């Protein structure tokens, strides 16, 4: 039996997993002064770029926290409406965002920028720390690491991927469907000239949309991102494919291996679709792929995880800091579980559209025609980019529960006021007050020609918690999200 040392109280919150979700969460917690330690199993980043961009809602989040300029400096903007089941349409008009674009940002770059931000704010990142045991009581959570050491915190969040150790140790169910098809993915060089590669891809994609070759991927000249259907589903999903497997599948689909050589990294993914039964078990929570897995169609996975963290961070910080109203932390599950379920459903639909049988081809043709209608294109793009997410706050104004897009004010922009991760009362009347909640909610008197409401109360994640102009009504709403008044 392994010897263990005394338990060390390391933080208010332990975050298990140093990917985009865990790093986003660490930064959000530090904005509120919460002591946070990120435990990452790997000794260094993999360098693999599975998630290759930020959709519009994630771009908004970066702007809300003052990080957008850092991402713009190392990314390219893109606009592609739909992005649904391989069907690409022009970007729709009048999408409800001041950031009508995505950012092509390699995942290693996203992770680097989020880690830099978290560390700047005071988060501690510990690598080569593999969690192998977990227990909790009414006061906190204790984890055991592979080296025998034990660490303790008040709360713990598992952001440790689809094969989450934290989820398994909790015994949380992960129902869904196993993989039925598998796809190979990797970066490598090709001896075939670019014109030949482009012609081969165009021909194969007439019948197989899970085939592709993207040149100069992530700015690496001469390196292609290759995606090709696998020959069945492997028994060991953790084992990376070999270059020979890639070449065999390229020959099977394209009658040529394109001279593939010098792989940078190789991996495989399936179309398994699963979701954790619950996102919270006592003092332990799940976020990102630890809470949900789905095919990468639409490029939603990385974004969904970061958006989980954006919803959870301020709520968990409120609990740690002692002002969270009853039920606030539970609202993480009630708000994000339906969003995750929606992404699982839309990726199921996309996998059907990507099929090679005549029925799938006919459905794809019909769906493509439907997306030529502006309203349909806008609806589908809203789903993929997550700008259409609305939480159920009950009956009220049409803005209630929606995130507020950035709007121009008489003095600056709305998102410039949200960098600190606090609540915000944007008051166009000058008659309202957040006295009693000023330690949690900023009060800004300003107006915008883009808003036709007198005042809005925003949560730290930018979702509208109240609309109106009546002080008593506002006082009735503030405790729901920001706890009891003080002073």
């Amino acid at each position: 039996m392994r010897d263990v040392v005394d338990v060390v109280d390391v933080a208010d919150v332990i975050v298990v997993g140093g990917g985009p979700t865990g790093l986003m969460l660490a930064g959000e917690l530090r904005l509120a002064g919460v002591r946070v330690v990120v435990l990452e199993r790997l000794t260094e980043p993999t360098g693999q770029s599975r998630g290759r961009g930020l959709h519009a809602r994630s771009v908004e989040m970066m702007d809300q926290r003052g990080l957008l300029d850092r991402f713009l400096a190392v990314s390219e903007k893109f606009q592609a409406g739909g992005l649904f089941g391989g069907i690409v349409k022009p970007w729709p008009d009048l999408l409800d965002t001041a950031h009508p674009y995505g950012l092509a940002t390699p995942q290693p770059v996203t992770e680097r920028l989020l880690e830099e931000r978290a560390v700047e704010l005071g988060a501690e990142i510990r690598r080569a720390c593999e969690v192998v045991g977990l227990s909790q009581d009414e006061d906190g959570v204790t984890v055991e690491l592979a080296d025998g050491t034990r660490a303790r915190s008040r709360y713990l969040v598992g952001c440790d991927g689809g094969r989450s150790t934290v989820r398994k140790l909790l015994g949380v169910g992960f129902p869904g469907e196993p993989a039925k098809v598998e796809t190979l993915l990797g970066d490598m060089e090709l001896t075939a000239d670019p014109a030949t590669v482009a012609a081969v891809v165009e021909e194969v994609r007439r019948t197989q949309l899970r085939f592709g070759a993207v040149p100069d991927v992530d700015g690496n000249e001469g390196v292609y991102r290759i995606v090709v259907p696998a020959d069945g589903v492997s028994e060991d999903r953790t084992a990376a494919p070999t270059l020979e497997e890639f070449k065999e599948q390229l020959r099977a689909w394209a009658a040529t291996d394109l001279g593939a050589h010098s792989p940078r990294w190789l991996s495989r993914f399936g179309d398994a679709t699963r979701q954790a039964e619950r996102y919270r078990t006592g003092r332990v929570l799940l976020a990102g792929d630890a809470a949900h897995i789905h095919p990468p169609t639409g490029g939603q996975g990385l974004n969904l995880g970061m958006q989980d963290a954006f919803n959870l961070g301020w709520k968990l910080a409120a609990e740690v800091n002692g002002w969270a109203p009853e039920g606030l932390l539970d609202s993480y599950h009630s708000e994000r579980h339906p969003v995750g379920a929606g992404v699982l459903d839309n990726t199921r639909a996309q996998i059907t559209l990507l099929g090679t049988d005549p029925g799938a081809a006919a459905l794809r043709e019909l769906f493509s025609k439907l997306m030529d209608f502006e309203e349909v294109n806008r609806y589908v793009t809203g789903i993929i980019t997550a700008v259409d997410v609305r939480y159920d706050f009950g009956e009220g104004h049409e803005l209630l529960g929606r995130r507020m897009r950035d709007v121009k004010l008489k003095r600056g922009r709305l998102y410039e006021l949200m960098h600190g991760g606090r609540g915000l009362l944007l008051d166009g009347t000058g008659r309202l007050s957040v006295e009693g909640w000023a330690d949690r909610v900023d009060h800004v008197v300003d107006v915008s020609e883009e808003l036709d409401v007198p005042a809005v109360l925003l949560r730290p994640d930018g979702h509208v918690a109240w609309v109106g102009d009546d002080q008593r009504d506002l006082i009735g709403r503030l405790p729901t999200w920001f706890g009891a008044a003080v002073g």
Side-chain angles (χ1 to χ4, degrees):
M1 184 171 179
R2 192 168 45 233
D3 293 331
V4 296
V5 299
D6 292 338
V7 178
V8 178
D9 183 6
V10 298
D12 295 317
V13 177
I14 290 174
V15 175
V16 181
T21 300
L23 294 170
M24 184 78 199
L25 179 61
E28 289 295 288
L29 291 169
R30 283 303 304 153
L31 277 178
V34 173
R35 294 183 304 138
V36 58
V37 169
V38 178
L39 302 181
E40 168 54 50
R41 177 179 58 86
L42 300 177
T43 57
E44 59 184 19
T46 66
Q48 296 184 8
S49 186
R50 285 174 171 263
R52 297 193 58 240
L54 304 184
H55 285 311
R57 177 56 188 143
S58 297
V59 173
E60 290 182 337
M61 287 162 34
M62 297 305 103
D63 196 10
Q64 284 176 251
R65 293 299 183 259
L67 295 174
L68 183 55
D69 285 345
R70 302 190 190 190
F71 278 85
L72 289 173
V74 294
S75 309
E76 292 186 6
K77 294 181 180 180
F78 67 85
Q79 286 187 326
L83 291 172
F84 197 90
I87 301 170
V88 179
K89 297 291 181 178
W91 187 267
D93 294 330
L94 304 178
L95 195 68
D96 182 32
T97 178
H99 298 282
Y101 56 87
L103 290 179
T105 313
Q107 183 171 332
V109 176
T110 296
E111 292 180 357
R112 174 176 60 81
L113 294 177
L114 293 178
E115 180 173 345
E116 288 174 356
R117 173 62 166 172
V119 171
E120 287 171 8
L121 293 171
E124 183 180 354
I125 315 295
R126 298 185 183 180
R127 295 193 173 274
C129 292
E130 181 179 1
V131 172
V132 297
L134 183 154
S135 63
Q136 61 174 312
D137 53 43
E138 62 181 13
D139 297 317
V141 184
T142 300
V143 295
E144 182 180 349
L145 304 183
D147 65 1
T149 61
R150 293 190 292 175
R152 186 167 173 83
S153 60
R154 294 175 61 184
Y155 290 89
L156 181 143
V157 186
C159 304
D160 50 340
R163 299 183 180 89
S164 171
T165 298
V166 171
R167 187 188 66 242
K168 294 173 182 176
L169 291 170
L170 283 175
V172 172
F174 204 42
E177 303 87 45
K180 299 181 180 65
V181 297
E182 192 169 272
T183 306
L184 305 183
L185 177 72
D187 291 355
M188 62 198 71
E189 297 179 37
L190 306 177
T191 58
D193 65 86
T196 298
V197 175
V200 167
V201 170
E202 181 180 7
E203 179 60 29
V204 176
R205 284 181 61 84
R206 293 180 188 274
T207 56
Q208 177 52 269
L209 292 175
R210 289 165 48 221
F211 184 97
V214 179
D216 301 334
V217 66
D218 297 339
N220 297 312
E221 186 175 355
V223 178
Y224 282 79
R225 169 70 48 83
I226 301 295
V227 57
V228 61
D231 182 17
V233 178
S234 62
E235 293 184 8
D236 183 4
R237 295 288 310 285
T238 64
T242 65
L243 177 61
E244 185 55 36
E245 282 184 74
F246 265 87
K247 296 172 76 169
E248 287 178 3
Q249 290 307 107
L250 284 169
R251 289 192 292 266
W253 286 99
T256 173
D257 61 18
L258 300 172
H261 67 97
S262 304
R264 302 299 195 269
W265 60 270
L266 306 173
S267 67
R268 64 178 84 242
F269 64 85
D271 63 339
T273 306
R274 298 184 181 278
Q275 186 174 28
E277 290 179 332
R278 57 186 183 275
Y279 284 11
R280 180 188 180 191
T281 302
R283 290 178 172 269
V284 182
L285 302 103
L286 301 172
D289 288 353
H292 39 68
I293 60 171
H294 53 84
T297 46
Q300 299 167 91
L302 179 149
N303 291 270
L304 181 62
M306 290 173 58
Q307 290 155 23
D308 285 346
F310 207 60
N311 181 283
L312 174 60
W314 69 277
K315 296 174 180 178
L316 185 53
E319 194 73 30
V320 170
N321 289 330
W323 60 260
E326 183 178 356
L328 180 67
L329 192 54
D330 285 330
S331 74
Y332 167 63
H333 171 91
S334 63
E335 291 178 0
R336 294 303 298 175
H337 195 275
V339 173
V343 172
L344 265 62
D345 280 344
N346 84 54
T347 54
R348 288 184 179 107
Q350 291 185 71
I351 287 296
T352 299
L353 287 172
L354 289 170
T356 57
D357 60 274
L363 184 62
R364 189 162 57 247
E365 182 179 359
L366 172 61
F367 203 88
S368 180
K369 291 178 180 177
L370 289 174
M371 286 181 60
D372 287 332
F373 292 95
E374 178 70 15
E375 290 186 8
V376 176
N377 191 9
R378 188 183 309 130
Y379 175 78
V380 171
T381 305
I383 290 175
I384 296 296
T385 60
V387 299
D388 69 336
V389 170
R390 182 179 188 178
Y391 301 135
D392 184 6
F393 292 175
E395 297 183 0
H397 194 277
E398 63 180 3
L399 289 177
L400 197 65
R402 297 187 182 278
R403 97 281 176 264
M404 177 69 74
R405 65 182 176 88
D406 192 25
V407 295
K408 294 180 181 179
L409 307 173
K410 292 295 185 182
R411 300 183 299 275
R413 298 185 296 115
L414 175 63
Y415 283 4
E416 292 173 336
L417 305 175
M418 305 188 73
H419 293 178
R422 292 158 50 87
L424 174 67
L425 175 64
L426 180 60
D427 178 10
T429 72
R431 296 182 282 100
L432 300 173
S433 171
V434 294
E435 184 178 356
W437 290 272
D439 60 325
R440 287 151 273 170
V441 181
D442 294 326
H443 181 198
V444 175
V445 178
D446 206 337
V447 295
S448 172
E449 295 180 356
E450 300 176 40
L451 285 179
D452 59 358
V453 295
V456 291
L457 175 66
L458 302 180
R459 306 190 315 183
D461 59 1
H463 282 258
V464 178
W466 174 84
V467 179
D469 60 2
D470 184 86
Q471 180 66 31
R472 287 180 299 179
D473 190 35
L474 172 62
I475 291 176
R477 176 61 65 162
L478 279 163
T480 301
W481 302 110
F482 299 102
V486 295

